Amino acid sequence: MRMCFVIAGLEPAAFPPWLTLLYSTTIFLAREAFRRACLSGSAQRDWSQTFNLLWLTVPLGVFWSLLLGWVWLQLLEVPDPNAVPHYGTGVVLFGLSAVVELLGEPFWVLAQAQMFVKLKVIAESLSVILKSVLTAFLVLWLPHWGLYIFSLAQLFYTATLVLCYVIYFTKLLGSSESTKEQTLPVSRMTDLLPSLTRSRAFVNWKEAKLTWSFFKQSFLKQILTEGERYVMTFLNVLNFGDQGVYDIVNNLGSLVARLIFQPIEESFYVFFAKVLERGKDATLQKQEDVAVAAAVLESLLKLALLTGLTITIFGFAYSQLALDIYGGAMLSSGSGPVLLRSYCLYVLLLAINGVTECFTFAAMSKEEVDRYNFTMLALSSSFLVLSYLLTRWCGSVGFILANCFNMGIRIAQSLRFIRRYYGRSPHRPLAGLHLPPALLGAFALSAGITGASEVFLCCEQGWPARLAHVAVGAFCLGMTLGTAFLTETKLIHFVRTQLGVFRLADKTS
């Protein structure tokens, strides 16, 4: 992608933090609350009311895209037209792509509720691949289009994503296999469209009120999630060059979060929302369901902790090598390695927070969500102030340190809720955050060996030394994973069981 910007004649640093922030903000504010509310509760619901509620994301997305587009064009600093031509058109197309993606919300929620994991993976993978192919083709054949290329590719991505879901459900509902139709709450495509009858309300008002509570929370969560980008965009604390380096490191560091942690959080939020009754004490629910939820939460916490620790330990020793391979000396000799090492620690906190919050938000009552919003408000304000101060003090690393502080507070809030939720039951899911001494020793030994290997073998000793450094890391990783396999038998059984469940779900879908 970095080479694509050079060929297209754009400044690499100028594009990503601006237009992608417009797109992600519009999408998040328009749909996040609806997703959480409509995936909560029992499967026994009036799905036509749920679909009616979900279609409201489209006019809301139009509102946010128009408002934010005006802010981006009128209130923020517009890049130099010579460096970034067609910026206004880019703002329009990125806003339009957000609205197009919202057209697929009813299909996405239905697929999530039915655990169509394979559909989601194929749709998102195909959309990304086709977007990359289109971008490369246009850059090579029409480089003078500049920002048009990336804006059209983004619009093509969202249209392809929506079409994948529409085509899948069209074929599924049009097939003669009645067994599949019986598992779905709809029997034809028109059932997913908005409908208005006099016999019932347009939407389920309980879901609507819950959506409003989650909307207030999502507004604050967006500040916590993208806060550093808002500080960069609105306050200009970093120049375009530093923003570009930060964006590259952020994209590399967040790969694991997007590919592993986010799907886990989304899938198991649906699981907890179905198994547990929202806002009801654990002792007053079916104890079998409470026990299953506790066992799954414990295993998820253990999996998140082990994955995050592995990334943190090995990321510290291999950040410089990864950046050197990806971007050469421009990235590996400056602030890039420090940024990526800091981000590896942030990934550990991100993994744990994703699991704890997916349980917390699935189990909280509407009143508890509203109370939590006040905490989020205070946290959002302190996070923005801390981001600004730390960035002034230690540069772009300050953004990551502020994010670590933010995640730490959010984890503490969620752990407090989980401990209180299971306080009067015999289950202790937070035991998943404890590791056996042998495994802790393996991690410590790997950190020491790979750290020494980086000092002596990376990254100015040539490719033979680099390959030796990689071999050392592979050996330490194998030793650590082997120790985990021997000491965490319960987790291994859980992972195998979940893989079997997903394969079964894929076959039925």
Side-chain angles (χ1 to χ4, degrees):
M1 183 61 74
R2 187 168 60 90
M3 183 60 68
C4 289
F5 278 105
V6 175
I7 296 176
L10 296 176
E11 183 180 348
F15 166 73
W18 292 65
L19 296 185
T20 55
L21 182 61
L22 168 66
Y23 163 79
S24 63
T25 303
T26 302
I27 285 290
F28 195 93
L29 293 178
R31 79 182 181 190
E32 178 70 12
F34 291 85
R35 284 186 170 185
R36 289 196 176 276
C38 293
L39 287 173
S40 300
S42 171
Q44 302 299 322
R45 67 172 77 189
D46 188 336
W47 274 94
S48 61
Q49 291 181 318
T50 299
F51 291 139
N52 288 341
L53 184 64
L54 286 168
W55 281 111
L56 295 179
T57 60
V58 178
L60 189 60
V62 172
F63 167 77
W64 282 117
S65 63
L66 291 175
L67 176 62
L68 294 175
W70 178 80
V71 171
W72 255 242
L73 291 174
Q74 301 298 325
L75 300 184
L76 297 181
E77 178 187 358
V78 176
D80 183 1
N82 295 322
V84 188
H86 319 304
Y87 178 74
T89 304
V91 169
V92 172
L93 290 178
F94 266 77
L96 178 60
S97 68
V99 175
V100 170
E101 185 168 344
L102 292 172
L103 293 173
E105 276 308 287
F107 305 95
W108 187 91
V109 169
L110 180 58
Q112 282 291 102
Q114 299 298 315
M115 299 295 288
F116 290 168
V117 180
K118 187 176 180 180
L119 169 61
K120 179 183 176 182
V121 172
I122 292 177
E124 294 185 357
S125 301
L126 181 63
S127 301
V128 170
I129 291 172
L130 292 179
K131 174 188 175 182
S132 301
V133 171
L134 177 63
T135 302
F137 176 81
L138 291 177
V139 164
L140 292 174
W141 289 94
L142 299 167
H144 58 279
W145 280 21
L147 198 55
Y148 283 144
I149 296 173
F150 305 98
S151 303
L152 290 173
Q154 179 66 26
L155 184 59
F156 178 74
Y157 161 79
T158 57
T160 304
L161 185 63
V162 172
L163 281 175
C164 286
Y165 282 95
V166 172
I167 292 172
Y168 177 85
F169 280 108
T170 300
K171 290 186 175 181
L172 180 64
L173 296 174
S175 67
S176 58
E177 301 177 27
S178 59
T179 54
K180 287 185 177 181
E181 293 181 2
Q182 290 174 0
T183 63
L184 295 174
V186 295
S187 58
R188 55 185 184 275
M189 285 294 290
T190 54
D191 292 340
L192 283 88
L193 299 177
S195 60
L196 180 62
T197 61
R198 296 181 179 179
S199 59
R200 53 174 171 72
F202 182 70
V203 298
N204 183 323
W205 287 107
K206 183 178 180 181
E207 281 185 345
K209 291 177 181 178
L210 186 60
T211 300
W212 174 242
S213 295
F214 276 126
F215 175 78
K216 291 182 288 185
Q217 184 185 94
S218 67
F219 191 86
L220 299 173
K221 187 178 179 181
Q222 177 66 5
I223 295 177
L224 296 176
T225 304
E226 301 275 15
E228 74 276 10
R229 295 183 183 273
Y230 294 120
V231 173
M232 275 192 288
T233 302
F234 287 89
L235 300 181
N236 295 320
V237 293
L238 297 178
N239 59 44
F240 274 132
D242 289 338
Q243 287 186 37
V245 173
Y246 177 86
D247 198 66
I248 291 172
V249 172
N250 180 70
N251 288 335
L252 285 175
S254 62
L255 276 176
V256 176
R258 294 197 304 267
L259 298 177
I260 299 178
F261 299 146
Q262 185 177 357
I264 289 177
E265 180 181 352
E266 291 176 347
S267 299
F268 283 96
Y269 172 80
V270 177
F271 169 80
F272 289 130
K274 287 185 175 181
V275 170
L276 301 174
E277 296 184 49
R278 180 180 292 278
K280 197 172 183 179
D281 191 271
T283 57
L284 302 178
Q285 302 189 42
K286 293 181 181 179
Q287 292 307 299
E288 297 83 358
D289 292 342
V290 174
V292 169
V296 170
L297 178 58
E298 180 181 349
S299 297
L300 285 177
L301 286 173
K302 183 79 70 174
L303 180 62
L305 180 61
L306 289 178
T307 306
L309 272 177
T310 302
I311 293 170
T312 301
I313 295 298
F314 290 91
F316 265 72
Y318 290 88
S319 291
Q320 185 177 0
L321 179 59
L323 290 175
D324 191 65
I325 294 174
Y326 180 78
M330 182 187 73
L331 291 179
S332 63
S333 61
S335 61
V338 177
L339 277 172
L340 191 54
R341 290 186 183 107
S342 304
Y343 207 98
C344 289
L345 175 61
Y346 175 55
V347 167
L348 170 61
L349 299 175
L350 198 65
I352 298 174
N353 179 72
V355 173
T356 55
E357 281 196 348
C358 86
F359 176 88
T360 300
F361 294 150
M364 274 183 171
S365 66
K366 176 186 176 299
E367 292 73 21
E368 287 173 320
V369 171
D370 289 335
R371 287 197 298 269
Y372 188 78
N373 288 340
F374 287 103
T375 304
M376 295 279 279
L377 177 61
L379 186 57
S380 300
S381 303
S382 61
F383 170 67
L384 292 177
V385 173
L386 189 62
S387 296
Y388 180 80
L389 294 178
L390 287 177
T391 305
R392 289 293 187 186
W393 176 47
C394 53
S396 52
V397 178
F399 284 129
I400 301 178
L401 296 179
N403 272 318
C404 290
F405 169 80
N406 157 37
M407 282 298 161
I409 298 297
R410 288 166 65 177
I411 290 171
Q413 291 290 326
S414 297
L415 293 180
R416 180 185 174 192
F417 174 84
I418 295 170
R419 185 178 290 109
R420 186 173 68 250
Y421 186 85
Y422 282 104
R424 289 186 290 176
S425 74
H427 310 292
R428 296 294 178 266
L430 296 184
L433 295 176
H434 300 155
L435 294 180
L439 189 53
L440 287 174
F443 276 118
L445 185 61
S446 295
I449 294 175
T450 55
S453 174
E454 181 185 31
V455 172
F456 292 105
L457 299 176
C458 187
C459 285
E460 299 177 357
Q461 309 298 323
W463 275 105
R466 294 183 182 186
L467 293 176
H469 182 46
V470 172
V472 171
F475 170 78
C476 291
L477 180 61
M479 176 191 67
T480 304
L481 294 179
T483 305
F485 190 85
L486 294 174
T487 57
E488 297 293 347
T489 55
K490 186 177 179 181
L491 177 61
I492 299 301
H493 175 72
F494 170 78
V495 172
R496 286 176 174 172
T497 302
Q498 293 304 312
L499 290 175
V501 169
F502 286 136
R503 290 193 189 102
L504 180 61
D506 290 342
K507 290 180 180 178
T508 58
S509 61

